């Protein structure tokens, strides 16, 4: 199975701050990487797909990048509605696997 | 617009089975894999498997072989997941999702308790 190592596990940041979350894949997954935001009691919402493509309706302050088997989600200017838990997902091969999640809070 | 409407919360006894549903609308039901995902309280997300409603083909995470059974009813555009021999470890929220996880249902809470 492909392991997705996500870091950090938790993060506290101020409004307008730049935030970066990373996922390291245990093997090559190409661009088959998606990022999600989940709020309490809700289902995960797609932010980024194909490692770098912004999902419909997602603010442009969210962006994704790839360097080899390391993938990053960047929030360029943290807003009050951005706290939640962020997950990465590899959709390259089954069993599809998620990162353990990053809990983002406002400082 | 794509909508996935899941069935309501279930309280079930250890050793029993439960069948939860995911009713799809807003797209061609038979054209997309339907995935199922498990989320235990305070824990992350775990992929259970998918079913392709067009022909009934399935693929499971080996961890859920014998635990989960995926089916689909084309006439009602509804996918089902049956969980068997339930234990406390099966207490979780279960999601359905399509479009390579682009669209998700709202989740169904299953609580296993005597």
């Amino acid at each position: 199975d492909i392991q997705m190592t996500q870091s950090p596990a938790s993060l506290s940041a101020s409004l307008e701050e730049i935030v970066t979350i990373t996922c390291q894949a245990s093997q090559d997954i190409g661009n088959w990487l998606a990022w999600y935001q989940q709020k309490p009691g809700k289902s995960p919402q797609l932010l980024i797909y194909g490692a770098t493509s912004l999902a419909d309706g997602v603010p442009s302050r969210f962006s994704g990048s790839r360097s080899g088997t390391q993938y990053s989600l960047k929030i360029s200017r943290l807003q009050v509605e951005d706290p939640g838990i962020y997950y990465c997902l590899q959709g390259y091969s089954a069993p599809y696997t998620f990162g353990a999640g990053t809990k983002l809070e406002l400082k | 617009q794509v909508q996935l409407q899941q069935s309501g919360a279930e309280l079930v006894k250890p050793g029993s089975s439960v069948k939860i549903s995911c009713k799809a609308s807003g797209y061609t039901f038979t054209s997309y894999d339907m995935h199922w995902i498990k989320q235990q309280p305070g824990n992350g997300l775990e992929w259970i498997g998918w079913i392709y409603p067009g022909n009934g083909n399935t693929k499971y995470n080996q961890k859920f072989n014998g635990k989960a059974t995926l089916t689909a009813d084309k006439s009602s555009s509804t996918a089902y997941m049956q969980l068997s021999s339930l234990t406390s470890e099966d207490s979780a929220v279960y999601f359905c999702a399509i479009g390579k996880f682009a669209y998700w249902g709202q989740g169904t809470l299953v609580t296993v308790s005597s």
Side-chain angles (χ1 to χ4, degrees):
Chain A
D1 298 1
I2 297 173
Q3 309 301 318
M4 301 301 297
T5 303
Q6 186 171 343
S7 61
S10 63
L11 179 56
S12 181
S14 304
L15 283 175
E16 304 288 323
E17 192 171 333
I18 297 172
V19 169
T20 302
I21 299 167
T22 63
C23 268
Q24 177 71 49
S26 61
Q27 64 186 73
D28 179 31
I29 59 170
N31 285 329
W32 290 96
L33 191 285
W35 289 98
Y36 296 84
Q37 177 195 62
Q38 187 178 30
K39 301 208 172 182
K42 300 292 188 181
S43 56
Q45 297 296 305
L46 179 66
L47 299 172
I48 301 287
Y49 65 94
T52 61
S53 297
L54 196 65
D56 289 346
V58 176
S60 58
R61 65 180 179 275
F62 291 92
S63 63
S65 63
R66 171 192 174 189
S67 176
T69 56
Q70 181 163 293
Y71 300 81
S72 298
L73 173 71
K74 178 181 171 183
I75 309 173
S76 61
R77 294 172 62 185
L78 192 66
Q79 300 297 300
V80 66
E81 61 268 29
D82 295 339
I85 301 179
Y86 290 79
Y87 295 97
C88 63
L89 163 69
Q90 69 81 13
Y92 179 75
S93 71
Y96 305 115
T97 45
F98 294 83
T102 295
K103 185 173 184 179
L104 174 59
E105 297 177 324
L106 268 178
K107 196 179 289 182
Chain B
Q1 72 283 21
V2 173
Q3 289 194 355
L4 301 173
Q5 183 64 41
Q6 297 186 230
S7 49
E10 300 270 5
L11 173 61
V12 292
K13 294 193 182 310
S16 67
S17 298
V18 68
K19 192 172 187 178
I20 61 179
S21 66
C22 174
K23 183 170 176 58
S25 61
Y27 72 99
T28 303
F29 179 66
T30 52
S31 297
Y32 293 90
D33 297 340
M34 178 73 75
H35 298 266
W36 290 87
I37 300 100
K38 177 182 182 181
Q39 185 169 40
Q40 288 179 293
N43 282 11
L45 299 155
E46 207 167 10
W47 178 75
I48 296 170
W50 59 250
I51 182 167
Y52 184 68
N55 57 16
N57 282 356
T58 55
K59 186 171 183 68
Y60 294 91
N61 184 336
Q62 195 170 359
K63 178 179 177 181
F64 293 92
N65 272 335
K67 171 61 66 178
T69 303
L70 305 183
T71 57
D73 178 3
K74 289 188 277 191
S75 67
S76 63
S77 297
T78 302
Y80 298 92
M81 178 173 67
Q82 179 161 318
L83 299 168
S84 60
S85 302
L86 291 165
T87 72
S88 58
E89 283 301 302
D90 299 314
S91 293
V93 176
Y94 293 88
F95 295 99
C96 58
I98 65 142
K100 254 317 173 46
F101 307 94
Y103 302 94
W104 294 59
Q106 82 276 21
T108 295
L109 174 64
V110 174
T111 304
V112 183
S113 174
S114 54

